[in-house]
Amino acid sequence: MTTTDRRIVWLLIAYSLLLALLPIALNEQAFHWTFSEVGPFEQLSIAGWLGTAVIVLLRIRPLGARAWAFALLCLAFAAREADWHKLFTGESFLKNSFYRDAARPFEEKLVCGAIAIFLVALVLYAGLVIARFLFLQGGWRSRSGAWLMAGTALVVVGKLIDRLPAVLSVDYGIELGPLTKLYSAAFEEGLEMAHPMILAWSVWISQTGRRYLS
């Protein structure tokens, strides 16, 4: 771990402390706006994914299929954060209910289904590239691999935090307190915003260490 890596770790710790303070420092209206679709965390997530795509395209050499796939996936994540998956259809075309709706035109389902299949293929391909690099090629021992694992772990933790209140309520009848729900929202959105930043750093340092996109 270099000095820059340590500084980033300390920044992430400070960032986590900030997330822990916001639920008690902000009033209800300010909190809900901060973590809403138009709030700073959501908008910075979009900017983060767009920036990561640019870094992949500018930093990775040679620019092959893996780099293009990751760049496209970053753009897809940015579009997802911007709610483009609902922009033309009014409902997410990534949900099964979209295709079960008999009132929707078949042509619309066909086009959206093709896009959804392409996005799923991108995610699976990226997952295979990451898994091969980390576990088959020993990339987890490298700096780029360590940051890649950290970013991936944040995604998993963020999704678990996001789904936990609903699962506890529906499956077990356990209702979390209002403050706990605020913390859940803060850390889910906060970790989601940090993920592209960490991935961008992993991509950047991969060109001078263990490469996984070229």
Side-chain angles (χ1 to χ4, degrees):
M1 182 178 288
T2 67
T3 301
T4 304
D5 292 327
R6 294 189 189 94
R7 288 173 179 169
I8 293 175
V9 169
W10 282 111
L11 282 174
L12 289 173
I13 292 173
Y15 177 65
S16 299
L17 292 175
L18 172 64
L19 292 176
L21 286 174
L22 290 180
I24 56 178
L26 299 176
N27 61 47
E28 184 177 354
Q29 182 179 359
F31 180 89
H32 286 300
W33 176 83
T34 300
F35 293 99
S36 69
E37 297 296 319
V38 296
F41 283 89
E42 193 74 19
Q43 297 305 309
L44 286 172
S45 292
I46 297 172
W49 283 117
L50 292 175
T52 302
V54 171
I55 287 174
V56 170
L57 295 176
L58 295 180
R59 178 69 169 170
I60 301 301
R61 291 295 182 272
L63 195 60
R66 281 176 288 178
W68 277 109
F70 269 72
L72 287 174
L73 195 56
C74 289
L75 293 176
F77 285 148
R80 167 65 179 80
E81 294 294 332
D83 281 341
W84 278 24
H85 59 309
K86 304 176 185 176
L87 183 62
F88 303 105
T89 58
E91 179 188 358
S92 173
F93 66 84
L94 301 175
K95 294 182 177 180
N96 290 332
S97 58
F98 176 86
Y99 301 95
R100 293 198 302 265
D101 187 354
R104 289 192 177 276
F106 174 76
E107 294 81 2
E108 185 178 86
K109 294 179 182 179
L110 186 64
V111 172
C112 291
I115 297 173
I117 291 172
F118 174 72
L119 294 177
V120 170
L122 271 182
V123 171
L124 292 176
Y125 177 69
L128 286 173
V129 170
I130 291 173
R132 183 178 63 180
F133 169 67
L134 291 177
F135 305 114
L136 297 182
Q137 299 175 352
W140 62 273
R141 293 188 294 265
S142 65
R143 287 176 64 215
S144 58
W147 284 109
L148 184 61
M149 288 183 67
T152 304
L154 281 184
V155 173
V156 175
V157 171
K159 292 305 177 185
L160 289 175
I161 292 174
D162 183 37
R163 294 299 304 157
L164 184 61
V167 170
L168 289 176
S169 176
V170 175
D171 295 344
Y172 302 100
I174 301 173
E175 293 293 337
L176 299 178
L179 186 59
T180 304
K181 291 181 179 179
L182 292 181
Y183 273 108
S184 174
F187 276 94
E188 190 271 328
E189 291 292 341
L191 294 179
E192 195 173 73
M193 192 195 85
H195 177 224
M197 314 297 185
I198 293 175
L199 178 60
W201 178 241
S202 172
V203 169
W204 184 268
I205 63 178
S206 70
Q207 282 298 99
T208 56
R210 291 293 300 275
R211 303 186 178 193
Y212 55 91
L213 294 184
S214 62

